[in-house]
Structures are given as C-alpha cells and as structure tokens.
Amino acid sequence: MDPPVDEVLRIESVFDWFAARGGNSAVLEAYRRIRLQLRPIRRIEVLLQDTGLDSVLRIERLRREGQWDAMEETLYKYHEQRIALSASLEKVMRQSA
C-alpha cells in the first residue's frame, strides 16, 4: 500500500523551508537533489512511522508561531524516531529489491 503522495510532499515542504532559510544556493540545490533521491525511502518511512506526519505538522506549527526551542526539541525527537526505524526500513527496502 503506497502512502499518499501529499503526505510525503508535506513533510518535504517543511524541510524545504529550513534548507531555503540558510540562504546558500549551493546547499539548497544539493538538498533538493538529495530530497528527490531519497523520496522512495521517505515513502516507506511514512508507512512505517505513523506519527511522522504528525511530528512534521507540529514542527511546521511551531515554526509559524516562532517557538524555536520547542521546534528544536520536536525536530530532535522526529529524527530519533527515524533513526529507530532504520532497521525496519532496511528490511523493507531489501525485500522490495
């Protein structure tokens, strides 16, 4: 079952903002290339991590509200969840190859 593409794009859009905010066009271009290369992995992550979109939407809300400390903590937790999923993600990727 494929995750809705709009969930993946919504997650990517939040991190697009961070990459663009740095003001370095080379970093932004590199980020965009990597984002496209990693999209298949992101799609599987969305299936495995049912709280991923919720976390990213919270990051988006905290950013809009300027709650930088809370956003930093939420980003950290989001990436910790992704790291915890790495073994499951690898297993799924190997099975689909």
Side-chain angles (χ1 to χ4, degrees):
M1 176 181 186
D2 286 341
V5 173
D6 57 334
E7 285 186 29
V8 174
L9 297 177
R10 184 69 178 263
I11 291 169
E12 289 177 354
S13 74
V14 170
F15 293 102
D16 286 351
W17 181 86
F18 287 108
R21 182 153 168 90
N24 184 322
S25 61
V27 169
L28 181 58
E29 184 58 33
Y31 165 77
R32 288 179 174 160
R33 280 193 312 272
I34 291 168
R35 176 191 66 197
L36 293 175
Q37 292 171 347
L38 295 178
R39 186 169 286 163
I41 294 171
R42 171 85 60 210
R43 292 180 62 143
I44 294 170
E45 282 180 333
V46 169
L47 290 173
L48 295 175
Q49 183 182 19
D50 50 344
T51 61
L53 181 61
D54 292 340
S55 296
V56 169
L57 294 176
R58 181 165 188 251
I59 292 165
E60 185 178 57
R61 180 182 54 78
L62 293 169
R63 177 187 56 85
R64 278 194 317 266
E65 295 172 358
Q67 295 185 34
W68 306 113
D69 290 340
M71 185 179 66
E72 180 180 358
E73 181 180 332
T74 304
L75 275 166
Y76 179 81
K77 287 179 183 177
Y78 171 76
H79 287 292
E80 287 292 311
Q81 290 172 335
R82 291 184 72 210
I83 291 166
L85 281 175
S86 62
S88 297
L89 179 62
E90 180 183 11
K91 183 178 179 181
V92 170
M93 295 293 289
R94 285 184 189 275
Q95 289 173 347
S96 67

